[in-house]
Amino acid sequence: MNSGEIFRMYKDAESGIFRVFSGDKVLFLQETGEETFSFSCSPDEFEKYWSRFFDLETDYAGLYKKALRSGPYIADCAASSYGVRVLNQDLFEMMISFIISQQKRIPEIRKCIEALCARFGEKKCLNGFEYHAFPDAKAIAAAGPDGVKGLSLGYRERYIYETAVKYVADDFIKSPAFRALSFDEAKAYLKQYCGIGEKVANCICLFALGYKDAFPIDVHIKDILHREFNVGDDNYRTLSDAVFTKAAADRFADFAGAKGIIQQWIFAHEIK
DNA sequence: TACCAGGTTTGCA
DNA sequence: TGCAAACATGGT
């Protein structure tokens, strides 16, 4: 919830109930015991959506044990990130959310996303609880290039509008064929959208498309790869993304296929 | 005040 | 192909 992979999940301070928003859905979660939770959805909706959303088919326990044996730093990250899963979120929501994320801190990202939802998201109601869905691409596109003004998006306004317009017209990205692409193919396809570069494309692949080997390189990860894994000298921040990507592949070769989960545990640990 | 943020685009070698 | 500057806005 606080590890920068989902921006619309909140804990109600009074009741302790978690509210999880995804696309046009909302889910209420309550901890009922030691690692047990009640879900507000029907068993059918759980099977059809939330089970995959929470990535319940992936073996995190095995990865966790492996991480604990992988040197003190990774072990620390795994231990302090116990319970952090890499979710399978809505594609368009991740595209827009991570376009917004560039050059912003997490609290500001949340604010921008909520503002976007308030303006363009369909108003919905579940059990008396009113909320705004994440906007449909059509709603953003229909409002025109000036429709996204006044939301503190800055230069990202153009990226968001153009991405919404392109997405509306893009039948391929909504087809099963897109989901069948390889990781590299999907990433390259996403980068054709304005505002989606290497890092954001990796985030989308990891958080929406299930490519658990995606390894987004951002300023935090650069700092960590330098500090903990001896990548680069004092000018390491000027090194290209490719250098960090290769370094990560080398350092985390043991986790091939699931590097993105390790990345997320590292990230969650560092921003705590 | 100066610097920086889960970067990307643009323009120029 | 690769590099540096420009890009809005808000927080520290």
Side-chain angles (χ1 to χ4, degrees):
Chain A
M1 185 174 81
N2 294 320
S3 71
E5 63 166 302
I6 179 168
F7 301 106
R8 299 191 77 201
M9 178 171 175
Y10 305 95
K11 185 178 186 179
D12 186 272
E14 251 178 61
S15 63
I17 292 173
F18 295 91
R19 296 195 185 104
V20 188
F21 300 89
S22 178
D24 63 350
K25 297 176 183 57
V26 64
L27 176 73
F28 305 131
L29 276 177
Q30 192 159 26
E31 197 160 13
T32 52
E34 186 80 11
E35 299 192 338
T36 63
F37 295 84
S38 70
F39 282 58
S40 63
C41 63
S42 68
D44 185 54
E45 189 181 331
F46 177 82
E47 287 303 325
K48 280 187 176 145
Y49 192 80
W50 297 107
S51 174
R52 172 164 166 73
F53 179 89
F54 286 105
D55 201 35
L56 297 183
E57 66 274 23
T58 297
D59 174 23
Y60 283 81
L63 194 68
Y64 183 73
K65 282 180 197 159
K66 195 170 173 182
L68 291 182
R69 300 190 302 264
S70 282
Y73 180 71
I74 295 299
D76 280 353
C77 291
S80 83
S81 300
Y82 181 74
V84 172
R85 313 178 70 83
V86 172
L87 308 174
N88 296 117
Q89 303 186 65
D90 178 78
L91 173 58
F92 182 67
E93 182 169 354
M94 290 299 96
M95 290 168 72
I96 297 300
S97 296
F98 280 95
I99 286 174
I100 290 173
S101 79
Q102 56 190 262
Q103 299 290 101
K104 275 187 180 296
R105 296 174 178 82
I106 291 171
E108 296 167 59
I109 300 167
R110 282 192 209 281
K111 272 190 210 167
C112 286
I113 292 172
E114 289 303 340
L116 197 70
C117 292
R119 182 174 294 183
F120 296 105
E122 187 188 347
K123 214 172 182 182
K124 315 252 307 181
C125 186
L126 180 70
N127 300 338
F129 178 78
E130 290 189 348
Y131 67 99
H132 287 273
F134 193 86
D136 199 72
K138 286 178 190 162
I140 298 173
D146 291 340
V148 288
K149 287 197 176 299
L151 300 175
S152 297
L153 295 168
Y155 63 86
R156 306 164 194 79
E157 284 175 356
R158 193 185 112 232
Y159 301 164
I160 290 161
Y161 171 69
E162 288 188 11
T163 290
V165 170
K166 188 173 165 69
Y167 186 90
V168 169
D170 189 347
D171 292 328
F172 179 70
I173 203 167
K174 297 161 206 152
S175 74
F178 175 68
R179 302 286 176 147
L181 294 181
S182 70
F183 169 42
D184 286 335
E185 287 168 339
K187 196 166 68 175
Y189 191 85
L190 288 166
K191 283 166 77 173
Q192 296 178 96
Y193 277 80
C194 186
I196 299 179
E198 179 70 21
K199 190 268 171 183
V200 170
N202 269 292
C203 286
I204 299 164
C205 283
L206 184 58
F207 300 134
L209 301 175
Y211 298 105
K212 294 291 192 289
D213 211 34
F215 197 95
I217 302 290
D218 61 33
V219 291
H220 300 288
I221 294 296
K222 285 181 185 176
D223 291 347
I224 293 154
L225 284 171
H226 171 65
R227 192 187 73 217
E228 302 291 337
F229 298 93
N230 302 313
V231 177
D233 56 19
D234 287 349
N235 297 318
Y236 68 93
R237 276 209 181 187
T238 63
L239 293 172
S240 70
D241 288 349
V243 171
F244 286 101
T245 299
K246 186 174 184 321
D250 291 345
R251 265 61 165 195
F252 304 123
D254 288 351
F255 299 100
K259 286 202 302 294
I261 298 173
I262 299 299
Q263 193 269 10
Q264 199 52 24
W265 288 352
I266 292 171
F267 192 87
H269 173 68
E270 288 288 338
I271 65 170
K272 233 176 207 178

